[in-house]
């Protein structure tokens, strides 16, 4: 696959040369990067490289399944070009989200700067090699997403439609790539280096939220029959989103009977791809210099005066108060403070955690308000929905808790092995309590207050059972998902906490369903709540024992 | 009294034997220079002695404890400062000391007092709320050194401790090591900087191809080889030889 891609890149050598880049250097850099991608890093304390191919293929398999779902659009929407356009809208969201949250970091990667910049390599060579590296990943995802539609169109519409779909897919990748990455390049040029990482980090979090919410909007459409007659391409609506321009391009190359608007949308798609590429290259001037300044941003130089304004740490009244309330002044508090500090300051933790925390409220809100939005029913919150909201809090703890095992700085966890760490349970206790304090407590106050407001005090036993269950399963999750804090590499851990996550999801789901089923029986919920809280307190006592 | 006792220590990574039967005894209160070519097994030996690696053959005792059976007792009593180690850079040094002190079960007041004294001694200056990710390489190395000494260990393993330090700091660290040995501490010091090893070590152990090629004071080893300096001695004993003076890597092009 890599060789094929390098060959394809080689075909465009005259093009790279025309833009002032060195095609030979581009090929060498890309070959090295792709080779490194195929080899995973070492886990903390590990001596051998771990195979990650299996997980990579599994990811592609799931993306392929999603691509299969896109074929469904052709049976729902009669107009093929509109179905293609809708499919590409999903492409733009999906690959765009992936680029923003995962791959765009490669654009700012400074690890190889000294190796590359000490060689005769100019800005264009560096920036083109970076975007091509990212393109490999986007293309692999695009291939998995598009293959089912490609086959479907080949069988139902003929080979030319399939070929056209493939060509439009290439244009789609170019638009998504340049559209996303140009924004980052502009940021790199305009924003001071010491603020850039923070801005990009928060942008990624917000973008993930926006994309995910957009992703859920189709579920608000209600009856699928309503979109059967949708014609989006070759109409005014077709100008609204790049995915639909691509639908216009598909129509332009597959049919002869089309209006001027389809031609205009096709032209827009080609223009977007062309202009995006040109603008990306134009923004590449000064790229290496900006990356270098990014590398040195925030570092102390010998001649520099130490000021108190730089990246503050240390003081946190909320942390200190919660630590005093919930932990003893031993390893419990050390662990609580340590986890709190890292969670508060590590941007990569926030990038991994915050978007996933946002997904669930979005799904929850859509589930609760769907009927109102689609106009099918009036707004009402039954006890079932209330229970769902109560148990949803479990994810508010478990998702960040899982992320406290992962870090870009995972090698720093050697300190847990090199020291006696004689009370590992206290470390675990402090870890869970820090997550509870930072994520669960604020949400719990909000949710429980709302539930009381809507349902009254009758719901108190339910809250007691759900909250006890949530906290118990949080401790249980940390028991099952072993490992030192922040000790796993991000790349090697994508599925490592999948097993514990599934287990707790299953058990938590069982508890919530059981709660709902047994709710009508007298005394069952209060008794169950007492049992769960006794179990929880017993487990906490075990963790906090003296030796 | 022997503070380290190693008998027939063997270690392999797959089929690659790294340590091929090491026998060694180290007395307390010395600075031991542990040297050898790249890949000789120095860091592996130190990891085993520090209780971080239990996958080995042979008997290893540190401070009277078998490292396989009692790694925690060993870790309580030793300090370990690995080469180019990463630390949690989003923390301030004080927060990092809090973590390390906690893991060593050290009261916070003592941790803080010792850390401040060591910082003053090593001239590590920063503002109270300044994070480690704003530090230079040398400043990070000082934080690492301090964190390894907080619990006043009896035996200290140092793997290239001077990496990244400026000349003044190197002098300070060397003085600190001397003072520690005067207080009865033992330093197990691994480095490639031969001048420093030659100057500060009471005893030198040279590891080559997974076996000990030389063991003694510099004078004792030099008496056998008459090399004049540790650098030449190292080259002779590890088969480095002298490079041909007319070497030209662009020849025959």
């Amino acid at each position: 696959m890599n060789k094929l891609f390098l060959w394809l890149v080689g075909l465009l050598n005259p093009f790279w040369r025309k833009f002032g880049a060195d095609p030979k250097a581009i090929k060498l850099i890309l070959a090295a990067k792709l080779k490194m991608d195929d080899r995973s890093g070492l886990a903390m304390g590990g001596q051998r490289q771990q195979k990650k191919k299996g997980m990579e293929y599994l990811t592609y398999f799931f993306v392929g399944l999603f691509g299969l779902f896109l074929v469904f659009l052709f049976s729902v929407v009669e107009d093929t070009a509109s179905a293609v356009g809708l499919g590409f809208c999903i492409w733009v969201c999906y690959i765009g989200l992936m680029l923003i949250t995962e791959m765009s970091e490669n654009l700012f990667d400074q690890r190889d700067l000294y190796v590359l910049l000490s060689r005769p390599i100019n800005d264009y060579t560096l920036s083109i090699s970076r975007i091509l590296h990212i393109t490999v990943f986007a293309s692999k995802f695009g291939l998995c997403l598009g293959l089912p539609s490609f086959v479907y169109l080949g069988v139902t519409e003929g080979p030319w439609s399939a070929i056209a779909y493939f060509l439009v897919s290439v244009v789609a990748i170019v638009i998504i790539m340049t559209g996303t990455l140009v924004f980052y390049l502009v940021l790199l040029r305009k924003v001071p280096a010491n603020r850039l990482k923070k801005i990009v980090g928060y942008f990624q979090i917000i973008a993930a939220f926006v994309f995910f919410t957009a992703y859920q909007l189709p579920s608000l459409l209600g009856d699928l029959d309503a979109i059967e007659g949708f014609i989006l391409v070759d109409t005014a609506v077709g100008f609204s989103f790049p995915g639909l321009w691509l639908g216009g391009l598909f129509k332009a190359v597959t049919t002869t009977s089309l209006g001027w608007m389809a031609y205009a949308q096709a032209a827009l798609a080609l223009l977007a791809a062309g202009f995006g590429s040109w603008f990306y290259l134009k923004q590449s001037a000064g790229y290496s210099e900006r990356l270098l300044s990014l590398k040195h941003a925030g570092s102390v130089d010998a001649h520099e005066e130490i000021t108190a304004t730089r990246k503050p740490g240390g003081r946190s009244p909320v942390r200190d108060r919660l630590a005093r309330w919930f932990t003893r002044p031993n390893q419990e508090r050390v662990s609580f403070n340590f986890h709190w500090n890292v969670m508060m300051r590590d941007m990569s933790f926030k990038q991994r955690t915050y978007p996933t925390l946002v997904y669930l409220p979005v799904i929850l809100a859509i589930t609760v308000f769907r009927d109102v939005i689609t106009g099918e029913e009036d707004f009402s919150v039954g006890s079932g929905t209330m229970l769902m909201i109560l148990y949803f809090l479990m994810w508010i703890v478990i998702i960040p808790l899982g992320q406290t095992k992962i870090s870009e700085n995972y090698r720093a966890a050697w300190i847990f092995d090199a020291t006696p760490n004689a009370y590992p349970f206290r470390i675990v206790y402090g870890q869970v309590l820090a997550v509870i304090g930072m994520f669960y407590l604020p949400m719990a106050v909000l949710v429980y207050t709302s539930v009381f407001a809507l349902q009254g005090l009758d719901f108190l036993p339910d809250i007691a059972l759900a909250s006890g269950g949530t906290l118990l399963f949080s401790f249980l999750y940390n028991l099952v998902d072993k490992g030192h804090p922040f000790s796993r590499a991000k790349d090697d851990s994508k599925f490592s906490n999948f097993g514990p996550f599934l287990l707790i999801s299953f058990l938590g789901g069982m508890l919530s369903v059981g709660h709902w089923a047994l709710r009508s029986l007298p005394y069952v919920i209060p008794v169950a709540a007492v049992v769960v809280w006794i179990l929880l307190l017993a487990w906490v006592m075990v963790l906090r024992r003296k030796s | 009294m022997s503070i380290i006792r190693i008998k027939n220590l063997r270690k392999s990574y797959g089929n690659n034997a790294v340590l091929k039967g090491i026998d060694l005894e180290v007395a307390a209160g010395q600075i031991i220079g542990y040297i050898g070519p790249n890949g000789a097994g120095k860091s592996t030996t130190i990891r085993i002695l520090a209780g971080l690696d239990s996958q080995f053959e042979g008997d290893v005792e540190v401070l009277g404890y078998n490292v396989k059976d009692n790694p925690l007792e060993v870790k309580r009593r030793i300090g370990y400062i690995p080469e180019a180690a990463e630390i949690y850079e989003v923390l301030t040094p004080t927060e990092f000391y809090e973590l390390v002190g906690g893991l060593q079960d050290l009261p916070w007041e003592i941790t803080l007092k010792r850390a401040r004294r060591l910082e003053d001694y090593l001239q590590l200056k920063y503002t109270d709320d300044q994070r480690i990710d704003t530090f230079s390489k040398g400043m990070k190395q000082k934080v690492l050194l301090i964190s390894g000494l907080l619990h006043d260990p009896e035996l200290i393993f140092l793997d290239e401790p001077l990496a990244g330090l400026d000349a003044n700091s190197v002098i300070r660290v060397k003085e600190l090591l001397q003072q520690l040995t005067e207080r009865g501490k033992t330093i197990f010091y691994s480095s490639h900087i031969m001048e420093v090893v030659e100057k500060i070590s009471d005893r030198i152990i040279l590891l080559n191809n997974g076996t000990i090629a030389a063991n003694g004071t510099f004078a004792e080893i030099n008496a056998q080889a008459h090399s004049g300096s540790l650098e030449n001695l190292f080259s002779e004993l590890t088969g480095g030889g002298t490079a041909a003076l007319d070497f030209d890597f662009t020849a025959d092009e």
Side-chain angles (χ1 to χ4, degrees):
Chain A
M1 188 76 174
N2 290 348
K3 280 183 184 166
L4 173 70
F5 187 78
L6 288 171
W7 177 75
L8 286 170
V9 168
L11 291 181
L12 296 170
N13 279 351
F15 182 72
W16 310 136
R17 210 171 279 123
K18 193 170 183 302
F19 279 101
D22 176 359
K24 194 178 169 191
I26 288 176
K27 191 181 174 185
L28 286 168
I29 295 168
L30 257 184
K33 290 248 180 197
L34 294 174
K35 207 175 282 176
M36 287 192 288
D37 290 336
D38 286 344
R39 298 172 187 174
S40 77
L42 293 172
M44 198 278 298
Q47 293 295 330
R48 290 183 188 187
Q49 287 183 332
Q50 297 164 347
K51 294 281 178 195
K52 65 171 184 179
K53 277 283 167 199
M55 288 307 170
E56 193 182 334
Y57 290 140
L58 192 66
T59 308
Y60 291 137
F61 172 73
F62 280 114
V63 177
L65 277 184
F66 192 67
L68 208 57
F69 167 76
L70 294 184
V71 174
F72 181 64
L73 284 171
F74 292 106
S75 61
V76 177
V77 181
E78 276 180 3
D79 180 42
T80 306
S82 296
V84 167
L86 279 174
F88 279 118
C89 290
I90 294 172
W91 271 57
V92 172
C93 288
Y94 194 88
I95 300 179
L97 177 64
M98 190 201 69
L99 285 178
I100 286 170
T101 55
E102 299 284 332
M103 294 310 300
S104 54
E105 289 168 13
N106 284 10
L107 207 59
F108 303 122
D109 191 3
Q110 303 128 47
R111 287 171 299 182
D112 55 1
L113 270 191
Y114 289 140
V115 175
L116 295 178
L117 294 184
S118 56
R119 271 74 189 176
I121 288 170
N122 63 20
D123 288 333
Y124 298 102
T125 305
L126 191 65
S127 106
I128 289 172
S129 66
R130 289 278 167 95
I131 196 172
L132 287 173
H133 180 215
I134 301 171
T135 305
V136 177
F137 287 92
S139 303
K140 284 179 181 173
F141 275 77
L143 190 68
C144 297
L145 267 180
L147 193 62
S149 297
F150 174 83
V151 174
Y152 175 85
L153 285 169
V155 172
T156 59
E157 306 273 326
W160 173 241
S161 285
I163 292 167
Y165 183 80
F166 172 76
L167 294 174
V168 176
S169 301
V170 174
V171 178
I173 296 276
V174 175
I175 291 176
I176 299 166
M177 297 283 304
T178 52
T180 317
L181 300 181
V182 157
F183 174 73
Y184 281 101
L185 273 189
V186 172
L187 272 185
L188 190 65
R189 285 174 73 93
K190 304 288 178 197
V191 176
N194 56 354
R195 289 176 54 205
L196 181 72
K197 285 180 188 172
K198 210 171 198 173
I199 289 174
V200 168
Y202 284 114
F203 171 74
Q204 287 177 331
I205 293 166
I206 294 164
F209 170 73
V210 171
F211 272 114
F212 188 76
T213 310
Y215 219 54
Q216 299 301 317
L217 291 180
S219 69
L220 298 176
L221 284 172
D223 193 359
L224 281 175
D225 293 340
I227 62 169
E228 193 180 344
F230 265 21
I231 296 177
L232 302 169
V233 170
D234 209 0
T235 65
V237 183
F239 291 100
S240 62
F241 199 71
L244 299 175
W245 307 346
L246 292 158
L249 182 60
F250 177 81
K251 192 168 187 175
V253 291
T254 52
T255 59
T256 47
S257 57
L258 67 163
W260 68 269
M261 280 200 270
Y263 279 120
Q265 284 152 14
L268 261 180
L270 292 173
L271 266 174
F275 179 76
S277 305
W278 172 80
F279 195 64
Y280 179 87
L281 289 166
K282 197 168 158 51
Q283 292 298 313
S284 297
Y287 179 55
S288 52
E289 198 180 314
R290 296 292 297 164
L291 281 182
L292 271 175
S293 59
L294 192 63
K295 187 176 178 71
H296 299 301
S299 304
V300 172
D301 292 330
H303 63 271
E304 201 177 348
E305 271 188 39
I306 295 166
T307 63
T309 55
R310 217 182 345 241
K311 288 188 177 176
R315 296 173 208 124
S316 170
V318 178
R319 176 199 65 196
D320 294 343
R321 185 157 298 171
L322 289 175
R324 269 201 305 278
W325 286 347
F326 297 122
T327 62
R328 287 191 289 229
N330 54 26
Q331 288 81 2
E332 289 177 6
R333 192 160 300 169
V334 166
S335 173
F336 183 95
N337 287 341
F338 167 67
H339 284 93
W340 185 283
N341 291 335
V342 177
M343 289 190 297
M344 277 298 281
R345 298 174 200 166
D346 184 2
M347 184 52 80
S348 73
F349 174 85
K350 293 178 188 176
Q351 285 166 338
R352 291 192 311 272
T353 310
Y354 290 4
T356 46
L357 285 177
V358 163
Y359 297 162
L360 284 160
V362 170
I363 291 175
L364 200 69
I366 285 174
T367 310
V368 172
F369 295 106
R370 185 180 178 279
D371 290 343
V372 183
I373 294 167
T374 56
E376 289 173 14
E377 282 178 31
D378 292 334
F379 176 72
S380 67
V381 184
S383 58
T385 308
M386 277 293 149
L387 287 181
M388 196 170 74
I389 292 171
L390 290 180
Y391 280 95
F392 139 81
L393 284 174
M394 198 177 284
W395 307 117
I396 294 289
V397 190
I398 287 173
I399 289 170
L401 201 53
Q403 293 301 330
T404 58
K405 312 281 181 182
I406 299 162
S407 174
E408 285 182 348
N409 197 201
Y410 67 98
R411 284 192 178 91
W414 66 271
I415 201 74
F416 291 97
D417 274 334
T419 47
N421 191 10
Y423 304 97
F425 279 2
R426 292 182 185 170
I427 300 292
V428 167
Y429 177 80
Q431 182 179 27
V432 179
L433 262 290
V435 172
I436 287 173
M438 187 177 286
F439 295 97
Y440 174 78
L441 274 185
M443 284 301 287
V445 168
L446 186 74
V447 168
Y448 296 154
T449 311
S450 310
V451 171
F452 276 134
L454 288 165
Q455 300 285 337
L457 284 175
D458 290 350
F459 236 72
L460 186 62
D462 297 279
I463 289 176
L465 177 56
S467 58
T470 296
L471 297 175
L472 183 65
F473 281 119
S474 305
F475 280 106
L476 187 65
Y477 175 80
N478 222 27
L479 180 74
V480 182
D481 189 9
K482 288 189 170 67
H484 293 314
F486 303 107
S487 62
R488 287 185 211 138
K490 187 182 155 196
D491 290 344
D492 292 330
S493 61
K494 277 180 181 154
F495 290 91
S496 60
N497 56 2
F498 200 54
F501 194 81
L502 272 185
L503 180 73
I504 299 303
S505 306
F506 175 72
L507 293 175
M510 293 282 283
L511 179 69
S512 62
V513 170
H515 186 158
W516 175 76
L518 298 173
R519 211 171 164 269
S520 53
L521 299 176
Y523 306 116
V524 171
I525 301 303
V527 170
V530 170
V531 171
V532 165
W533 273 95
I534 287 172
L535 284 173
L536 171 66
L537 294 174
W539 180 235
V540 167
M541 280 172 71
V542 168
L543 288 179
R544 304 186 75 186
R545 68 185 185 272
K546 295 270 182 216
S547 59
Chain B
M1 181 211 160
S2 291
I3 203 164
I4 296 174
R5 189 173 284 142
I6 300 176
K7 277 185 195 160
N8 196 26
L9 173 61
R10 292 171 185 276
K11 166 82 185 175
S12 303
Y13 293 116
N15 294 326
N16 180 25
V18 179
L19 300 176
K20 300 168 184 170
I22 291 180
D23 293 297
L24 182 67
E25 291 209 10
V26 173
Q30 294 182 320
I31 297 184
I32 309 296
Y34 195 51
I35 58 173
N38 294 329
K42 300 186 299 295
S43 296
T44 303
T45 320
I46 290 179
R47 271 206 307 275
I48 289 170
L49 288 169
L52 289 164
D53 187 347
S54 58
Q55 304 297 308
F56 62 85
E57 292 171 38
D59 295 320
V60 179
E61 272 185 24
V62 173
L63 296 153
Y65 294 97
N66 185 304
V67 289
K68 249 186 200 172
D69 300 336
N70 295 298
L72 285 194
E73 293 305 323
V74 172
K75 288 175 190 177
R76 272 187 231 280
R77 290 164 177 80
I78 62 145
Y80 172 58
I81 294 135
E83 184 183 4
E86 287 191 24
I87 40 184
Y88 291 104
E89 296 191 351
V90 292
L91 302 180
T92 64
T94 309
E95 288 165 349
F96 186 64
Y97 303 144
E98 184 192 15
L99 173 68
V100 179
L103 293 171
Q104 290 287 0
D105 209 11
L106 206 61
W108 170 233
E109 296 73 24
I110 303 244
T111 303
L112 192 62
K113 196 190 288 179
R114 289 179 182 175
R116 292 291 173 256
R117 284 180 183 159
L118 283 164
E119 282 178 348
D120 286 345
Y121 187 83
L122 293 174
Q123 297 170 321
L124 177 63
K125 291 187 177 68
Y126 56 91
T127 55
D128 284 348
D129 54 1
Q130 197 177 342
R131 293 190 215 166
I132 300 170
D133 57 4
T134 64
F135 282 13
S136 68
K137 195 177 168 189
M139 290 168 83
K140 287 176 191 168
Q141 186 63 18
K142 286 179 187 175
V143 173
L144 200 61
L145 269 167
I146 291 165
S147 68
L149 298 175
L150 284 174
H151 56 298
D152 193 24
E154 293 169 49
L155 170 61
I156 303 151
F157 294 103
L158 299 167
D159 204 348
E160 292 290 359
L162 305 180
L165 297 182
D166 59 35
N168 289 335
S169 301
V170 167
I171 293 168
R172 286 267 165 169
V173 172
K174 284 198 286 189
E175 283 173 3
L176 178 66
L177 297 182
Q178 292 293 354
Q179 284 171 11
L180 286 168
T181 52
E182 282 164 19
R183 285 179 54 222
K185 311 292 179 187
T186 308
I187 316 280
F188 202 88
Y189 183 100
S190 174
S191 175
H192 289 292
I193 310 171
M194 293 299 134
E195 292 88 349
V196 177
V197 175
E198 186 181 327
K199 271 184 192 161
I200 67 166
S201 302
D202 300 309
R203 186 174 153 198
I204 293 163
I205 298 165
L206 196 156
L207 192 69
N208 189 30
N209 282 328
T211 56
I212 292 175
N215 182 356
T217 61
F218 174 67
E220 284 169 357
I221 301 173
N222 195 38
Q224 296 165 16
H226 304 290
S227 299
S229 72
L230 187 59
E231 198 169 79
N232 291 339
L233 191 66
F234 181 93
S235 187
E236 270 184 39
L237 293 175
T238 58
T242 313
L245 291 173
D246 59 349
F247 168 69
D248 177 8
F249 73 95
T250 62
D252 302 329
E253 282 175 5

